[in-house]
Amino acid sequence: MSEEKAPQEVLMDSTPTKKKRKRDDDEAPESSAAAAGGEAAAAAAAAAPTAHGRPAKRKVESRKIPVPAHRFGPLHDSWQRIYTPLCDHLHLQTRMNLATRNVEIKSSSTTTDTGAIQKGADFVRAFILGFDVEDAMALLRLDDLFLDSFDINDVKPLKGDHLSRAIGRVAGKGGKTKFTIENVTKTRIVLADSKVHILGSYQNIQIARRSICNLILGSPPSKVYGTMRAVASRAAERF
């Protein structure tokens, strides 16, 4: 009897019980599930998930820039030079809507720069205001350039010949005064009837605008030149 029990005890020890088999089977799926969960978490982090667990999608933005009648011809002639940087460099969808006479810009899935839509709109708007394509293209390359516009009547209410003389003082003979202000302040200026448009950095725009306002108010150009050069030199030394 004792000789028969010994082999049975060995067999019982070597054979796993039902509870042990169940515990081993439960641990194996948990380890594989943990590995799969780690891979899924890494993939989800790479896909930049949202709060709801879905991959984030870039919002499609659009802009419409109206084109006045007197700028429709120049826009048509320079359309290739305007269209190329918007599509090739900023990766924006651009079209000219002939029915509404608007330049429509829209971001796409290939647009990488978050500020591309605003840069493109400023670029087109600068050309429509009267700036050259080369000058307006600086808005695409540099981040610290801005557009500023104001009316001569906002500085001093003028009518008739008085308004014409104020515009003449700002422009100068053959555009000499305007060119001098542009070169000293490193800006670009467009005179469109009683509107004045300035393209440049924030500080340079303020210097140019102050000089133009002094000319509108009747200051002689020589005095304006001296004050403008002194302010520009101090600003250059400061930075």
Side-chain angles (χ1 to χ4, degrees):
M1 295 290 290
S2 60
E3 293 178 357
E4 293 178 357
K5 288 181 181 178
Q8 289 179 359
E9 291 177 0
V10 173
L11 289 174
M12 288 175 64
D13 293 338
S14 60
T15 305
T17 61
K18 291 183 180 180
K19 292 183 178 180
K20 187 176 181 181
R21 277 200 301 266
K22 185 177 180 181
R23 188 165 56 249
D24 294 339
D25 294 339
D26 292 342
E27 289 177 357
E30 287 177 0
S31 60
S32 60
E39 294 176 358
T50 60
H52 301 288
R54 287 178 245 174
K57 293 184 180 180
R58 190 180 297 275
K59 183 181 179 181
V60 177
E61 300 182 39
S62 62
R63 296 285 191 279
K64 291 183 180 181
I65 301 97
V67 183
H70 70 282
R71 293 299 293 171
F72 192 77
L75 179 66
H76 180 271
D77 297 337
S78 304
W79 179 248
Q80 187 66 31
R81 292 191 294 165
I82 295 173
Y83 178 88
T84 302
L86 292 176
C87 295
D88 294 348
H89 300 292
L90 297 181
H91 305 288
L92 297 173
Q93 297 178 359
T94 310
R95 73 169 184 173
M96 176 63 194
N97 194 329
L98 298 177
T100 59
R101 287 186 176 252
N102 288 331
V103 176
E104 299 178 358
I105 303 174
K106 187 172 70 171
S107 60
S108 62
S109 58
T110 58
T111 305
T112 56
D113 188 1
T114 55
I117 189 73
Q118 187 61 45
K119 287 182 180 180
D122 291 340
F123 167 61
V124 176
R125 190 176 293 110
F127 177 80
I128 291 174
L129 290 177
F131 293 97
D132 294 335
V133 177
E134 289 76 13
D135 296 335
M137 205 173 292
L139 290 166
L140 303 179
R141 298 193 302 266
L142 303 175
D143 293 332
D144 59 344
L145 292 184
F146 305 95
L147 282 171
D148 187 23
S149 302
F150 66 94
D151 198 302
I152 291 177
N153 290 306
D154 294 339
V155 181
K156 184 179 181 180
L158 298 171
K159 293 181 181 180
D161 293 340
H162 299 289
L163 179 60
S164 301
R165 281 192 290 269
I167 297 172
R169 283 197 300 272
V170 175
K173 186 178 180 180
K176 179 182 176 182
T177 304
K178 182 175 80 75
F179 293 147
T180 304
I181 297 175
E182 288 179 342
N183 293 333
V184 174
T185 60
K186 298 178 182 178
T187 58
R188 288 293 178 267
I189 301 171
V190 170
L191 297 175
D193 197 15
S194 62
K195 297 282 187 181
V196 181
H197 309 292
I198 308 174
L199 170 65
S201 64
Y202 178 79
Q203 184 179 14
N204 293 339
I205 286 176
Q206 298 305 313
I207 298 173
R209 180 167 181 162
R210 194 175 299 114
S211 301
I212 293 172
C213 291
N214 290 334
L215 289 171
I216 294 171
L217 294 173
S219 298
S222 57
K223 182 178 180 180
V224 173
Y225 291 162
T227 305
M228 179 177 55
R229 286 194 174 95
V231 173
S233 63
R234 283 200 303 269
E237 291 173 359
R238 191 181 307 156
F239 293 96

